[in-house]
Amino acid sequence: MADDPVIQTFMIECTELLQAMEDALLRLEAAPEDEETINALFRSAHTIKGSSGIVGFENIERFTHKVENVLEQVRSGKIKVDNELIELLLKCRDHIANLIELAEKDTPASASDRTAEEGLLRQLQSYLTSTDKQSNTKINDTAPSQLGSNSPNSLNYPHPSSEPSGSGDGVRTFLHGRDVESGNWHISLRFGEDVLRNGMDPISFINYLTRLGEIVSLTTITDAVPPAAEMDPESCYLGFEIDFKSDFDKQTIEDVFEFVREDCKICILPPRSRIEEYIQLINSLPEAPLKIGEILVRGGALTPHELEEALKIQNAEAVYPSPLEGEGQGEGCSQRKSLIGEIVVDEKMTYPPVVDAAVEKQKKQKEAQAREAKTIRVDTNKLDQLVNLVGELVIANANIIQNAQRLGDIDMIESASTLSRLIEDIRDRAMQARMVPIGESFNRFHRVIRDISREMSKDIELAVSGGETELDKNLTEKINDPLMHLVRNAADHGIEKPDVRISKGKPAKGVIRLNAFNDAGSIVIEISDDGSGLNREKIIEKAVEKGLINSEQTLSDKEIYKLIFAPGFSTAENVTNISGRGVGMDVVRKGISSLRGSIDINSQEGLGTTITLRLPLTLAIIEGLLVKIGGEYFVLTLSSVEECVDLTREDIANSHGRHLANVRGQIVPYIRLREQFMIKGSLPDIEQIVIVRVEGQRVGFVVDHVIGEHQTVLKNLGRIYKDIEGISGATILGDGTVALILDVPRLVQSAEREEVRG
Amino acid sequence: MAKTIMTIDDSASIRQVVGITLKKAGYEVLEACDGKDALNKLTGQKVHLIVCDVNMPNMDGIAFLKTVKQHPAYKFTPIIMLTTESQEAKKQEGKAAGAKAWVVKPFKPEQMLSAVEKLILP
Amino acid sequence: MTVNVERNNGLYKLAIEGEMTVLTSAELKRHLLYNLENCSKLEIDLSQVSEMDSAGFQLLFLTKREAIYSGKIMRITSHSEATSSVLELYNMHGEVF
């Protein structure tokens, strides 16, 4: 189901609309009467309803419809916006989000979802019932005038009486209940003067009619065309008498004319209608009875005999008008129905004029819309494929360059390098196409902060900056969870309650800041709060209790803060349902390192905490350092590499079997990749150590040769490499050789474990 | 020559559904995301029919309708308005401005197609 | 829409090109009635008409009717697919034109 492109568009659209709904609701909290915000809110709900109906999610449509009803009343000022309503609407928004998610996964709603929905619907209904009274009165006010007057276009002729009238008219009694012989429909049309101006053309309707059946006969009535001087060429003066053979039902045939029925005289007589109905038709039409009669006979609607009888009755009725005239009872109803011009009663209700939304007021949306108009949606998969292909291109080109160099053909080398510049350009553009501003991800947290503030009676403001900073779309999806943990933590553990803050001399309102900026090919995201800061003693206490450290160890602040990333670590005294389940930070660290990113913590007790995430701009391209061990190639992410130094036999001898190197007086532990990956072959005389920084710590990796910087597109090489610990992916070099990409954080962790065990 | 239909809706998925349906039926389709966008795209283009949502940001359907009815080249272009039952007042306003064809949202693609075909054949 | 007129004594030959629709109907009405008034015989060539709607049809009908009233002859010498299909649908081919 999710493969359907329409459904996909729907999902993307709904995500945006739900966000817009949420933004609007949050804005309403501050300005409950802002018309523009209310309109935006209404429009979002309205569009979700409309779209979901069209793509076939009726449950979403039904629910959103109710929400829209309430919003409609809000818009018209019948319902006032208060916090209670905002709360309810936020819950409704969440419920819609949930329904959409279920629809995407194609799973039915659970019992609790349904109970929740019923609860929400009841609450929504309570808003609607309280305004019902008002609207009822309105309808009643206007009702008599609608029912009392016939549309000026309606054909006012006597309705057939189901009972013979008391006049004792012999002819009438004789004819009663007789049906005409014709098995065809008869359609009588007199178009209104404005139809052409309204873009409607009788030609189209008659053409459409031929799709439903066969036109047996058609007579164009031009009697109404006025003398040349008075004739308005843009007006329509045409009428038609059509005999029509069709197996469709009356409704379907009537519906052909649905767009003109208000402006036209339309009479549709089903096959084998009663003669009376033809009589009424003849009476109702502006042309002379005999003329119409002849048309009817010619078209086969009536036999000459039937016409004769009909005209006799017609004359008789002119003398004895039907006593039931004007009553739409019994059989008359079906007759009335065919007079489509009359079925407008419901649509004639008058409503209070709706204030036209001032266009100037919508400037903000205008700009956003204008932007939208210049963009197209592209499936991220398509972009991925493109980037992949560009990756192949880079590799293929590297191959060409190698061959050109081998052949020593200067011209060839020249051409190949021109090509390679172009390819690099294409790659950059393709990558850029996947970049999105991080602001959207940031803005989601307004709601989170609001909810936490309420739940915990805190006063917290979220300050967002650097929202325009761009990063890979895939990455934005993946950082959402870690960010959520960090923001919740800051709100929950970081920011104190207002009274506590005041007693500490801080403003009652706490601030959580989300900031993003680009730095040296990475994106840096900072989550900072002006709360209580991390409590060193508490962390140490907890860590000792959990056996993570022993009480004698002396640790730097950084090392202490790092402890909170250990699995199962939580210092929160009360486990709240917001954070503090003790899994948070561990999960965050794993999440970030799987994105080849790093986390850094800075904290000052009493003043607040800043967590800094550093992530690559994209997951698809690696700026790496290519190294060689034996015959194998490996890539380390360049952003983590600090320096490369030689490791001589002498150094090894000096470290007495421990994996420690002395780098300009600093002791750096190292990992021998040769051992790690069990690579055979003889050692070179001088090995090299690549020093990387992982979570604030310097670690060395020993390799045979450092080949140089290498920019490469990540390839998915399937399962074979998936289970190898310490490998996060692979890439293909210009000559087709595979180079494995090292998962540096994992390698360091496993080395640490080794060391503990050893 | 295929007839050209312009669809105006702020919902991309509705535009997509309508677009796919109409293209399948043999029409050319032009899309616009609101009234302003539509007016920009209309310049000089022969359009045989317009399908226009009522509720849109940045010039709604009624304002668009009123504007297009003043336009010498498009004043007689048939317009199908998309509406919901909750927009009665808008509908009255639109009818007064000359919009006669209304399709109620949500609609099935075939309903949209038959509404279009009643007004123009592909 | 363009209307080319070839006047040869009382015989006016009108060649209409482009669309005969509600959009061009005001102009077309002027052309048709002006030429009808001044001619003794009107021949209309519709072979280059790309599109005709009911407004166009009405004007052909009106011209024909006015011609009959004033005792003049009006004849359509050739049709295009667009004009002939409308007359066919309206069942007016044989009758008036």
Side-chain angles (χ1 to χ4, degrees), chain A residues 16 86 142 215 222 286 335 404 408 424 457 554 565 595 650 683 708:
Chain A
E16 285 166 10
I86 291 174
T142 54
I215 292 178
T222 49
Q335 182 57 44
E424 268 165 38
S457 340
T554 46
F565 290 117
L595 300 175
E650 199 182 328
L683 287 177

Side-chain angles (χ1 to χ4, degrees), chain A residues 15-50:
Chain A
T15 316
E16 285 166 10
L17 289 166
L18 286 168
Q19 187 60 42
M21 259 184 101
E22 189 172 291
D23 292 348
L25 283 166
L26 297 180
R27 276 203 303 276
L28 271 190
E29 261 187 338
E33 285 181 2
D34 186 66
E35 223 175 281
E36 195 184 312
T37 311
I38 292 172
N39 278 331
L41 180 61
F42 173 80
R43 223 176 8 251
S44 305
H46 177 76
T47 309
I48 293 175
K49 184 196 83 168

Side-chain angles (χ1 to χ4, degrees), chain A residues 65-78:
Chain A
H65 180 66
K66 207 67 167 187
V67 175
E68 188 199 353
N69 283 348
V70 170
L71 290 174
E72 173 86 52
Q73 305 282 324
V74 171
R75 207 159 66 142
S76 62
K78 290 194 192 111

Side-chain angles (χ1 to χ4, degrees), chain A residues 512-531:
Chain A
I512 293 177
R513 280 175 209 286
L514 280 173
N515 182 32
F517 57 92
N518 286 117
D519 179 50
S522 311
I523 181 170
V524 178
I525 303 171
E526 291 175 337
I527 303 99
S528 53
D529 63 70
D530 66 347

Side-chain angles (χ1 to χ4, degrees), chain A residues 82-263:
Chain A
D82 56 16
N83 283 343
E84 199 186 325
L85 180 64
I86 291 174
E87 194 70 31
L88 171 63
L89 289 171
L90 278 171
K91 281 188 195 145
C92 290
R93 186 220 83 105
D94 293 349
H95 184 67
I96 296 168
N98 183 30
L99 289 177
I100 289 170
E101 203 175 311
L102 289 172
E104 189 174 15
K105 292 184 195 142
D106 217 357
T107 41
S110 69
S112 70
D113 288 335
R114 282 198 301 275
T115 325
E117 176 163 319
E118 280 161 24
L120 291 171
L121 285 173
R122 260 198 307 281
Q123 287 182 67
L124 289 170
Q125 188 57 44
S126 71
Y127 277 95
L128 290 173
T129 18
S130 59
T131 58
D132 256 5
K133 230 178 166 183
Q134 269 175 296
S135 35
N136 273 344
T137 343
K138 285 215 172 63
I139 289 160
N140 290 337
D141 283 349
T142 54
S145 63
Q146 308 148 13
L147 296 174
S149 72
N150 280 317
S151 151
N153 288 321
S154 63
L155 307 177
N156 285 314
Y157 50 73
H159 297 284
S161 45
S162 49
E163 297 286 319
S165 67
S167 67
D169 188 319
V171 188
R172 290 187 57 157
T173 317
F174 163 70
L175 269 172
H176 247 279
R178 267 218 33 203
D179 299 338
V180 301
E181 283 172 20
S182 166
N184 294 334
W185 295 78
H186 185 79
I187 302 170
S188 178
L189 306 166
R190 296 295 179 274
F191 282 89
E193 290 196 1
D194 278 335
V195 290
L196 296 173
R197 274 185 283 263
N198 292 333
M200 317 273 160
D201 193 312
I203 295 171
S204 318
F205 298 105
I206 296 170
N207 262 327
Y208 189 84
L209 203 57
T210 61
R211 297 190 156 202
L212 303 183
E214 183 198 339
I215 292 178
V216 179
S217 107
L218 181 145
T219 306
T220 303
I221 313 285
T222 49
D223 296 32
V225 179
E230 292 150 41
M231 188 255 195
D232 180 342
E234 289 171 4
S235 289
C236 181
Y237 303 103
L238 301 178
F240 301 89
E241 296 295 324
I242 302 168
D243 291 292
F244 184 58
K245 192 175 189 151
S246 170
D247 293 329
F248 280 90
D249 61 2
K250 187 163 182 175
Q251 187 64 50
T252 311
I253 295 173
E254 274 180 9
D255 281 349
V256 173
F257 305 101
E258 61 171 315
F259 299 141
V260 283
R261 66 180 174 203
E262 284 175 38
D263 304 314

Side-chain angles (χ1 to χ4, degrees), chain A residues 250-318:
Chain A
K250 187 163 182 175
Q251 187 64 50
T252 311
I253 295 173
E254 274 180 9
D255 281 349
V256 173
F257 305 101
E258 61 171 315
F259 299 141
V260 283
R261 66 180 174 203
E262 284 175 38
D263 304 314
C264 299
K265 296 174 184 175
I266 299 164
C267 182
I268 297 172
L269 297 180
R272 276 172 265 288
S273 286
R274 287 161 176 252
I275 279 189
E276 289 96 321
E277 296 181 83
Y278 278 94
I279 296 167
Q280 282 155 3
L281 173 68
I282 293 168
N283 274 338
S284 70
L285 293 171
E287 295 83 16
L290 203 61
K291 175 173 179 164
I292 297 298
E294 277 169 12
I295 291 171
L296 292 174
V297 171
R298 203 160 14 141
L302 297 178
T303 62
H305 179 65
E306 282 167 346
L307 174 65
E308 202 179 306
E309 281 176 325
L311 290 176
K312 259 189 225 158
I313 302 166
Q314 192 233 353
N315 289 331
E317 273 187 345

Side-chain angles (χ1 to χ4, degrees), chain C residues 39-59:
Chain C
C39 76
S40 53
K41 187 179 176 189
L42 191 63
E43 285 186 359
I44 305 176
D45 176 359
L46 298 178
S47 62
Q48 298 307 309
V49 174
S50 58
E51 197 182 334
M52 182 168 88
D53 66 2
S54 292
F57 164 79
Q58 285 186 149
L59 287 174

Side-chain angles (χ1 to χ4, degrees), chain A residues 661-713:
Chain A
N662 185 339
V663 181
R664 292 188 303 277
Q666 198 192 12
I667 301 299
V668 177
Y670 63 78
I671 295 163
R672 299 194 70 92
L673 290 177
R674 179 179 282 274
E675 289 166 18
Q676 184 79 25
F677 295 109
M678 292 173 281
I679 297 162
K680 295 188 183 82
S682 57
L683 287 177
D685 285 346
I686 299 172
E687 289 175 289
Q688 287 181 298
I689 307 183
V690 181
I691 312 269
V692 301
R693 181 172 285 276
V694 185
E695 285 160 25
Q697 196 185 342
R698 275 159 67 91
V699 180
F701 288 91
V702 179
V703 301
D704 289 2
H705 299 291
V706 172
I707 293 171
E709 288 184 20
H710 179 83
Q711 194 186 43
T712 185
V713 178

